[in-house]
């Protein structure tokens, strides 16, 4: 089986932080290096421009070719003491008028000098691997109708180059060290930032089935994790509620099964304790059948509710006359109502789309529940109607004792009874209302109950 590689948030955030900081430092290093290099270039250009202006001034002061011959002496005197500086002056006819001892200027630099206002320096190395930066410009002479001469100046920038190499080495070493350091600091920051998640994990580890009432302390959680903590607490609330209902259901289920099984076991043991007549055996078997039928109905109801909870109950949608269904059920329960002296009536009419068998079962359970708790002389009214949005509403109202408010939210729980001491008055197992709720949910509807002033009403709402 292939092992799943889990991605660490700490590693991912650390790498992201280190990558971003490295890029920032690299860009910053490049900008600083370019800025320093440009600064040196500007300094060199100031010196070169000054020497070019000096040479151009001397050329402009020459009024004849005889004056041109005196320019080398003047330039020698002006350039005394300037180490690493080279100047060359080429006459219009291509002869070298003046040249300092130093590098040989590139022919391309002297053949096509640029205009003074757009001059850019040229870099080249001599045979001795010395780096020079130079520039050449045209220079007019004072001789009338004479073409301009060419003046070129260059500087030895080996010192600058050595400084820049050392500077770049230091700079990139610092960038590398800073990237590693920021990566480490980022890892520390991420670890500290994720510490609340570790605290949540430790709290979650201490939550068991016996401590589902525990909740995360929202006040100690960072703002970014508050939604997560609230969602986790809501999940715990749902789990606690589901676990409590499951525990109650298991207890009620054991209690409900224990009674008929105990009856069957006791009755069978008593029957086998001595010989019986054929009629006695038949009576006992008939009594056992009643208990078996009760168990069978209980199991069938539980299976129906379980399937409904899992969404496995899919109603078959058919057009049906709800009024006719109610009238048929009222006719069926009329004998029981007459025996108890209870009045049963219907008000309103409606048609709907739904599963006829499931709808009939839900209404039957509502009527059976109402008859069970309506006292002699009471009334039961079945109200049927349809709203503007085609929603069908069916309410079964009965007079009788008011149900205490604390019991209303749990009436649709399985096996729940308001008065547990009266559960043997009928063959019900406390699943009727739970089945009604399952049928309503299967149809996309709801069921609600209200009880006040001696009138209890169960209302079934189903989309038409």
């Amino acid at each position: 089986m292939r092992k799943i590689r889990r991605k660490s948030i700490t590693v991912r955030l650390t790498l992201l932080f280190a990558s971003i900081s490295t890029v920032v430092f690299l860009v910053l290093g490049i900008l600083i290096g370019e800025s320093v290099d440009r600064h040196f270039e500007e300094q060199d250009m100031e010196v070169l421009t000054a020497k070019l202006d000096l040479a151009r001034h001397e050329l402009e002061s020459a009024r004849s070719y005889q004056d041109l011959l005196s320019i080398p002496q003047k330039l020698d005197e002006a350039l005394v003491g300037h180490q690493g500086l080279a100047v060359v002056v080429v006459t219009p006819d291509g002869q070298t008028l003046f040249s300092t001892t130093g590098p040989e200027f590139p022919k391309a630099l002297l053949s096509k000098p640029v205009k003074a206002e757009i001059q850019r320096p040229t870099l080249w190395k001599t045979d001795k691997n010395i780096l020079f930066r130079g520039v050449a410009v045209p220079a007019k002479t004072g001789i009338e109708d004479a073409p301009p001469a060419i003046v070129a100046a260059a500087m030895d920038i080996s010192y600058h180059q050595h400084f820049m190499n050392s500077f770049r080495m230091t700079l990139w070493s610092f960038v590398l060290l800073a990237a590693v350091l920021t990566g480490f600091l980022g890892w520390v920051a991420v670890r500290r930032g994720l510490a609340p998640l570790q605290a949540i994990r430790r709290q979650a580890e201490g939550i068991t089935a016996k401590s589902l009432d525990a909740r995360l302390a929202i006040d100690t959680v960072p703002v970014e994790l508050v939604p997560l903590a609230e969602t986790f607490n809501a999940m715990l609330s749902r789990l606690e509620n589901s676990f409590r209902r499951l525990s109650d259901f298991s207890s009620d289920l054991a209690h409900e099964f224990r009674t008929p099984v105990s009856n069957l076991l006791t009755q069978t043991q008593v029957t086998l304790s001595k010989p019986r007549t054929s009629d006695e055996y038949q009576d006992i078997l008939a009594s056992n059948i009643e208990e078996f039928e009760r168990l069978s109905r209980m199991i069938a109801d539980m299976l129906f509710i379980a399937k409904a909870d899992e969404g496995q109950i899919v109603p078959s949608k058919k057009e049906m006359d709800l009024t006719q269904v109610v009238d048929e059920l009222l006719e069926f329960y009329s004998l029981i109502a007459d025996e108890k002296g209870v009045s049963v009536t219907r008000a309103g009419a409606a048609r709907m789309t739904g599963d006829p068998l499931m709808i009939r079962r839900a209404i039957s359970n509502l009527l059976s529940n109402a008859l069970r708790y309506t006292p002699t002389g009471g009334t039961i009214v079945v109200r049927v109607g349809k709203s503007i949005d085609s929603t069908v509403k069916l309410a079964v109202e009965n007079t009788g004792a008011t149900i205490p408010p604390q019991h209303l939210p749990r009436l649709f729980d399985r096996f729940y009874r308001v008065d547990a001491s009266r559960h043997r008055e009928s063959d019900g197992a406390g699943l009727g209302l739970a089945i009604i709720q399952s049928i309503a949910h299967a149809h996309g509807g709801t069921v609600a109950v209200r009880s006040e002033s001696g009138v209890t009403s169960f209302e079934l709402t189903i989309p038409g």
Side-chain angles (χ1 to χ4, degrees):
M1 182 176 179
R2 186 177 180 180
K3 186 177 180 180
I4 300 176
R5 296 182 60 185
R6 295 183 175 87
K7 297 181 178 179
S8 170
I9 296 179
T10 302
V11 173
R12 293 174 64 180
L13 290 179
T14 301
L15 291 177
L16 179 62
F17 186 75
S19 300
I20 293 176
S21 60
T22 301
V23 171
V24 171
F25 283 131
L26 285 174
V27 173
L28 184 62
I30 292 173
L31 292 177
I32 293 176
E34 292 293 330
S35 177
V36 173
D37 197 22
R38 192 178 302 111
H39 173 71
F40 281 133
E41 181 180 327
E42 291 174 354
Q43 282 186 331
D44 294 343
M45 285 302 298
E46 288 180 0
V47 175
L48 294 176
T49 301
K51 301 310 176 184
L52 290 174
D53 290 342
L54 175 64
R56 291 170 66 187
H57 175 72
E58 294 295 338
L59 288 172
E60 289 177 355
S61 63
R63 303 300 177 182
S64 64
Y65 286 98
Q66 189 66 31
D67 293 338
L68 290 176
L69 298 177
S70 63
I71 288 178
Q73 181 180 358
K74 295 179 179 180
L75 290 179
D76 276 335
E77 295 175 355
L79 297 176
V80 172
H82 291 275
Q83 296 295 328
L85 179 66
V87 177
V88 64
V89 179
V90 180
T91 60
D93 56 1
Q95 297 181 1
T96 301
L97 180 64
F98 173 81
S99 177
T100 58
T101 58
E104 181 178 353
F105 284 79
K107 293 182 179 180
L109 180 65
L110 299 177
S111 61
K112 295 181 180 180
V114 297
K115 295 181 180 179
E117 60 270 15
I118 58 171
Q119 57 186 322
R120 290 291 299 169
T122 300
L123 296 176
W124 77 92
K125 286 186 178 182
T126 63
D127 296 339
K128 297 180 179 180
N129 204 29
I130 300 176
L131 185 64
F132 275 83
R133 175 183 284 126
V135 64
V137 295
K140 294 181 180 180
T141 64
I143 302 174
E144 187 176 356
D145 297 330
I150 298 174
V151 179
M155 286 187 64
D156 180 1
I157 60 172
S158 299
Y159 173 77
H160 293 169
Q161 188 66 21
H162 176 72
F163 174 83
M164 286 302 300
N165 291 338
S166 177
F167 175 78
R168 287 192 176 95
M169 179 65 68
T170 304
L171 180 64
W172 296 129
S173 299
F174 172 77
V175 168
L176 178 61
L177 179 62
V180 174
L181 182 61
T182 52
F184 173 74
L185 294 177
W187 178 81
V188 174
V190 171
R191 292 282 295 182
R192 291 182 61 87
L194 294 179
L197 285 179
Q198 297 296 330
I200 292 176
R201 179 186 63 80
R202 288 191 294 269
Q203 293 182 47
E205 285 179 346
I207 297 175
T208 63
K210 296 181 180 180
S211 59
L212 288 176
D213 57 339
R215 297 293 182 270
L216 298 180
I218 302 296
D219 297 338
T220 62
V221 176
V223 176
E224 294 80 3
L225 298 180
V226 168
L228 175 63
E230 291 177 343
T231 302
F232 187 80
N233 285 341
M235 180 192 69
L236 288 177
S237 298
R238 293 192 299 270
L239 287 176
E240 181 184 12
N241 183 54
S242 299
F243 191 84
R244 178 183 56 79
R245 293 179 61 184
L246 180 61
S247 179
D248 293 346
F249 173 72
S250 300
S251 177
D252 293 337
L253 183 62
H255 176 74
E256 294 296 332
F257 277 172
R258 182 182 61 183
T259 301
V261 171
S262 178
N263 292 341
L264 289 171
L265 180 60
T266 301
Q267 198 163 343
T268 302
Q269 290 174 341
V270 172
T271 301
L272 295 176
S273 64
K274 63 178 181 178
R276 307 286 180 178
T277 63
S278 176
D279 293 337
E280 289 176 332
Y281 280 122
Q282 288 182 356
D283 292 339
I284 293 171
L285 290 176
S287 177
N288 288 348
I289 287 176
E290 292 180 0
E291 295 294 341
F292 282 125
E293 289 177 346
R294 183 166 178 266
L295 282 172
S296 178
R297 286 193 300 271
M298 189 185 305
I299 293 173
D301 290 344
M302 289 170 53
L303 288 175
F304 179 86
I305 296 174
K307 289 182 179 180
D309 290 345
E310 295 296 328
Q312 299 179 11
I313 300 297
V314 181
S316 58
K317 300 296 183 68
K318 295 181 181 179
E319 182 73 20
M320 56 185 293
D321 187 352
L322 187 60
T323 308
Q324 181 181 350
V325 175
V326 172
D327 289 342
E328 291 175 355
L329 289 172
L330 290 180
E331 182 179 356
F332 175 78
Y333 284 102
S334 62
L335 294 177
I336 302 175
D338 292 341
E339 289 180 1
K340 293 190 62 175
V342 175
S343 172
V344 182
T345 58
R346 171 184 59 81
R351 296 184 64 85
M352 66 170 294
T353 301
D355 190 305
L357 294 178
M358 294 174 68
I359 296 298
R360 180 182 292 272
R361 184 176 187 180
I363 300 173
S364 177
N365 285 354
L366 287 174
L367 288 172
S368 176
N369 185 73
L371 284 170
R372 188 178 306 143
Y373 296 105
T374 302
T376 302
T379 60
I380 298 175
V381 180
V382 181
R383 303 187 185 278
V384 182
K386 200 168 188 177
S387 60
I388 299 177
D389 60 353
S390 300
T391 300
V392 176
K393 295 182 180 295
L394 183 143
V396 178
E397 298 179 357
N398 69 281
T399 58
T402 301
I403 302 175
Q406 66 269 21
H407 294 290
L408 295 179
R410 298 200 60 192
L411 285 181
F412 298 98
D413 291 351
R414 304 164 190 177
F415 300 117
Y416 187 80
R417 298 181 183 85
V418 176
D419 186 2
S421 64
R422 299 179 59 189
H423 76 278
R424 296 296 297 170
E425 292 182 2
S426 67
D427 59 355
L431 296 173
L433 294 179
I435 290 175
I436 295 171
Q437 186 179 56
S438 297
I439 292 175
H441 290 170
H443 283 78
T446 58
V447 61
V449 58
R450 58 182 178 82
S451 182
E452 53 188 13
S453 302
V455 178
T456 300
S457 175
F458 289 87
E459 185 176 84
L460 187 64
T461 303
I462 296 177

